[in-house]
Amino acid sequence: MKIPDDVFTGRCRYCGHRQPGTENKEIPDDRLFIHFWAAKSPCQIVGIAQCGKVPGECLSFKPNPMFGICQYCASTNSFHPEYCTAPGGPVNKRRVFLGWDGIGDYYSNHALFTCDRYRVSETWKDLILRNTLEGHAPANFNPDTWEASEYIDGTATAKRWAELQAKRAAELEAAAQKEAEKQAASEQRQISMFD
């Protein structure tokens, strides 16, 4: 089997189970539930067989830290009844994703939702921004104001995201280059010790 293309492009890149850079390859049916093969698949979990049940969705979806879902809201408290500490509770609560975070049904029945009172948690902002800049979370908000954006293409927000993403890509490339130079210098020192 292969993960359905709509799931692979619309969910896998935002999922904590995904192996970055892995292609959506065919897995032989007789290998689907073998852990060794699951580790080599685009998805590190055996449950990829669940991905074809609902078009565009994966029932094992575990979102990376991202903007817009209850899990990363300032009013979230997993020890509070109904998971929300906002006065009066959530308003217009709605599901954003199907999926299961791995903690349990109670968690998934609240964490993967949003409501009109959503406010991003300060605790998660840095990680959400980094994930978004690296393409591991959707760019569905203004990076300067942290307000939700339903439509971004062709807007000033899209231009701002492009600038930030280019800057982040340059930082990652510089870090990789520095690490490669450090590795080369280390190997050179090891060689010279034996001369």
Side-chain angles (χ1 to χ4, degrees), residues 79-143:
F79 299 105
H80 190 276
E82 297 303 312
Y83 201 70
C84 181
T85 61
V91 172
N92 193 20
K93 183 176 175 180
R94 54 207 179 269
R95 181 179 285 280
V96 179
F97 298 112
L98 292 179
W100 180 68
D101 194 86
I103 297 176
D105 291 338
Y106 172 80
Y107 189 78
S108 296
N109 288 336
H110 299 286
L112 304 179
F113 286 73
T114 195
C115 89
D116 294 346
R117 289 185 168 165
Y118 179 83
R119 290 179 301 116
V120 66
S121 170
E122 292 292 328
T123 306
W124 291 102
K125 275 188 172 182
D126 288 344
L127 189 53
I128 289 171
L129 186 60
R130 189 174 77 216
N131 277 338
T132 306
L133 291 175
E134 294 175 6
H136 305 303
N140 57 354
F141 62 96
N142 183 309

Side-chain angles (χ1 to χ4, degrees), residues 129-130 132-134 139 141-146 156-172:
L129 186 60
R130 189 174 77 216
T132 306
L133 291 175
E134 294 175 6
F141 62 96
N142 183 309
D144 298 318
T145 64
W146 288 85
T157 300
K159 184 178 179 183
R160 179 72 176 132
W161 275 119
E163 292 168 358
L164 291 172
Q165 287 168 337
K167 180 180 176 185
R168 180 62 179 157
E171 290 170 354
L172 291 173

Side-chain angles (χ1 to χ4, degrees), residues 140-141 148-152:
N140 57 354
F141 62 96
S149 300
E150 288 185 25
Y151 183 77
I152 291 180

Side-chain angles (χ1 to χ4, degrees), residues 44-66:
Q44 295 176 356
I45 58 171
V46 178
I48 69 161
Q50 300 284 328
C51 294
K53 287 195 172 183
V54 182
E57 294 286 356
C58 175
L59 301 183
S60 295
F61 180 61
K62 179 184 177 183
N64 294 319
M66 64 173 60

